[in-house]
């Protein structure tokens, strides 16, 4: 089609996510298989890469915006703009689960944190006793400095005995079939269960250099 030398692209094709070090394809395809196409970066400079009219330009590209151009009968045409995002990812998926404490009383707030290191795009799911009732509140903090980490925080307000059980987070890389899961066991008691009975009064005196024992019965 001389009036539309570039095959129209869908919005999903214009945003390209690439892991560090991987090659990718900028899908500016042409309706004429013999068209001479040039890849341009955001500075208007030509970028060398292998071209296939059915696929586009393939290579390792820095993050940024790219446009393809071609000339038909002396008229220059430009493709849609393609945006490449470079993502940090590792072959393994380092995950750590943390709990402020593992024993709670009824009415307290349970807080469990799952931290994913050195990966920027991760799908993370929580499994916990109150998930069916959607009792948990989930927050994500994307920390870049001093190192990359995703901090997922699960909060259970007004805990009850029914919230006792396994709290598990499962992380999956968005671009690779790599997953990792971590678990912590949380216990919620109906009421406090420690009883202290001191064998001394609230005010005690001691002579200089005297050694005195303070005894407490714990139940």
């Amino acid at each position: 089609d001389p009036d539309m030398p570039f095959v129209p692209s869908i919005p999903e094709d214009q945003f390209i996510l690439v892991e560090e070090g991987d090659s990718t394809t900028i899908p500016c395809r042409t309706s004429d298989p013999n068209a001479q196409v040039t890849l341009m970066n955001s500075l208007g400079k030509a970028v060398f890469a292998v071209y296939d009219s059915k696929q586009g330009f393939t290579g390792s590209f820095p993050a940024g915006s790219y446009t393809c151009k071609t000339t038909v009968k002396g008229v220059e045409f430009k493709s849609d703009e393609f945006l490449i995002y470079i993502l940090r990812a590792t072959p393994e998926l380092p995950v750590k689960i943390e709990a402020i404490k593992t024993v709670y009383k009824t009415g307290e707030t349970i807080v469990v944190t799952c931290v994913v290191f050195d990966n920027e795009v991760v799908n993370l799911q929580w499994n916990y006793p109150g998930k069916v009732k959607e009792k948990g509140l989930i927050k994500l903090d994307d920390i870049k400095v001093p190192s990359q980490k995703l901090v997922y925080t699960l909060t259970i307000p007004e805990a009850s005995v029914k919230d006792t059980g396994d709290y598990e987070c499962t992380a999956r890389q968005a671009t690779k079939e790599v997953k990792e899961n971590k678990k912590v066991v949380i216990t919620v008691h109906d009421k406090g269960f420690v009883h202290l009975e001191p064998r001394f009064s609230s005010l005690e005196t001691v002579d200089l250099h005297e050694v005195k024992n303070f005894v407490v019965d714990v139940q």
Side-chain angles (χ1 to χ4, degrees):
D1 183 354
D3 295 323
M4 189 174 289
F6 288 107
V7 177
S9 57
I10 60 176
E12 289 82 356
D13 287 341
Q14 295 176 242
F15 297 90
I16 305 169
L17 304 179
V18 191
E19 289 186 15
E20 283 180 323
D22 285 358
S23 64
T24 189
T25 298
I26 297 175
C28 51
R29 300 173 293 133
T30 55
S31 58
D32 177 5
N34 298 315
Q36 299 297 311
V37 183
T38 303
L39 179 63
M40 312 294 294
N41 62 19
S42 58
L43 300 176
K45 294 183 178 180
V47 178
F48 175 77
V50 178
Y51 183 71
D52 183 326
S53 62
K54 295 181 180 180
Q55 296 183 354
F57 285 97
T58 300
S60 295
F61 306 105
S65 64
Y66 295 85
T67 307
C68 302
K69 72 175 183 179
T70 189
T71 301
V72 178
K73 296 180 181 181
V75 180
E76 184 178 275
F77 291 85
K78 289 185 177 181
S79 70
D80 294 325
E81 183 182 37
F82 297 91
L83 298 173
I84 292 182
Y85 296 90
I86 305 297
L87 306 176
R88 184 174 300 171
T90 55
E92 292 84 27
L93 199 55
V95 178
K96 181 180 180 181
I97 193 167
E98 301 172 330
I100 297 175
K101 58 182 182 177
T102 57
V103 178
Y104 290 84
K105 290 191 298 182
T106 296
E108 291 186 322
T109 299
I110 298 173
V111 179
V112 182
T113 301
C114 197
V115 185
V116 182
F117 300 92
D118 300 325
N119 286 265
E120 289 187 282
V121 179
V122 172
N123 296 320
L124 188 132
Q125 289 185 330
W126 286 98
N127 282 309
Y128 57 96
K131 184 175 181 179
V132 175
K133 295 182 178 180
E134 298 182 349
K135 190 173 181 179
L137 306 173
I138 299 172
K139 185 181 74 167
L140 168 61
D141 293 309
D142 187 356
I143 299 173
K144 305 289 188 184
V145 179
S147 60
Q148 171 66 43
K149 61 181 179 180
L150 299 172
V151 181
Y152 297 84
T153 303
L154 172 67
T155 303
I156 311 290
E158 295 293 324
S160 69
V161 175
K162 293 181 179 179
D163 292 310
T164 294
D166 295 342
Y167 286 69
E168 184 179 46
C169 65
T170 301
R172 289 181 173 84
Q173 276 189 350
T175 54
K176 293 181 180 178
E177 289 299 320
V178 180
K179 75 172 185 177
E180 185 70 32
N181 66 295
K182 297 291 182 180
K183 181 177 71 173
V184 65
V185 179
I186 300 292
T187 304
V188 181
H189 293 279
D190 186 40
K191 59 183 178 180
F193 59 93
V194 176
H195 177 68
L196 302 178
E197 186 174 333
R199 295 185 184 175
F200 50 88
S201 62
S202 59
L203 177 63
E204 293 282 344
T205 60
V206 61
D207 294 331
L208 186 62
H209 302 307
E210 179 187 359
V211 176
K212 194 165 187 176
N213 293 324
F214 295 89
V215 180
V216 179
D217 287 336
V218 182
Q219 298 178 357

